Amino acid sequence: MTDDQDQELDQVGWPRRVRSFVRRPGRLTPGQQRALDELLPKYGVAADVRDLRALFERDAPLVVEIGCGNGQAMAYMAANEPEFDFVGIEVHEPGVGRLLKAIDDRGLSNVRVAMRDAVEVLAEQVVPGSLEQVRIYFPDPWPKKRHHKRRLIQAPFLERLAEALRPGGLLHLATDWTPYAEWMLEALAEVDAFELLGDPGVPRPAWRPQTHFETRGQRRGHEIVDLLCRRR
Ligand SMILES: C[S@@+](CC[C@H](N)C(=O)[O-])C[C@H]1O[C@@H](n2cnc3c(N)ncnc32)[C@H](O)[C@@H]1O
């Protein structure tokens, strides 16, 4: 990243808090644009929803995936775990377009999509204790030291996730960036509400498919770390 871009990041972040993402003008294919126009009204989460559980007609445990990217994992999990309802949160429009199309093509009735900053969704649209699980796969590692403040996984955000989860609920993190895995473990250690399950780095649970960014990391020789935590 050039210094110009870095400055731009700071401007984007000011005067609001530092965000974990940068909105880049993404190229939407005509299919993705159509999906956003036609399917977001059907499967999207409106900003005035105050309890994500109210989006579904049944009363099933709710799993939230934050930063679901192109939605491949979300669509796979929703099809494979029909006992759960799912909300995918993602700000990248082309990714949301792809996920919406997958939901519609596969006729998945247990998925909704919030195209919004997850920090805002957690603050305004989630009732404390209402989530069964939160899954965050390969969040942007922001490897440069001056960008560490942009990392999504930080103790205050973990506190908010703990508040959102029911006691006994699960937080599942995965990363291909070893320094970020260490950072995650340090942040988790600061939050009493979470208990790490197993050794740091458990085998990939069966419910998580290989993701797009995981494949990219593996091609670069990165080690994959899955962390599972229980809300006390
Ligand atoms: C490195 S990608 C990983 C995508 C996918 N989980 C995967 O493994 O292929 C991280 C994603 O998180 C999204 N993201 C980052 N911060 C976010 C936030 N605060 N709210 C919603 N999405 C966010 C980014 O837009 C990006 O698509």
Side-chain angles (χ1 to χ4, degrees), residues 20-21 65-70 89-92 116-119 136-141 152 211-214:
S20 59
F21 59 90
E65 187 190 357
I66 296 177
C68 54
N70 64 18
I89 308 179
E90 176 55 64
V91 288
H92 187 58
R116 194 177 180 198
D117 185 342
V119 174
I136 309 178
Y137 300 148
F138 305 92
D140 299 287
L152 182 65
T211 78
H212 177 70
F213 273 82
E214 177 175 16

Side-chain angles (χ1 to χ4, degrees), residues 84-119:
F84 292 143
D85 286 331
F86 289 85
V87 173
I89 308 179
E90 176 55 64
V91 288
H92 187 58
E93 288 189 350
V96 172
R98 285 182 67 154
L99 173 55
L100 290 168
K101 196 162 176 326
I103 295 171
D104 208 51
D105 287 349
R106 296 185 205 180
L108 297 169
S109 61
N110 59 339
V111 194
R112 298 289 181 277
V113 188
M115 197 165 72
R116 194 177 180 198
D117 185 342
V119 174

Side-chain angles (χ1 to χ4, degrees), residues 12-23:
V12 170
W14 186 88
R16 308 191 59 181
R17 63 176 171 71
V18 175
R19 291 185 190 274
S20 59
F21 59 90
V22 180
R23 274 187 214 278

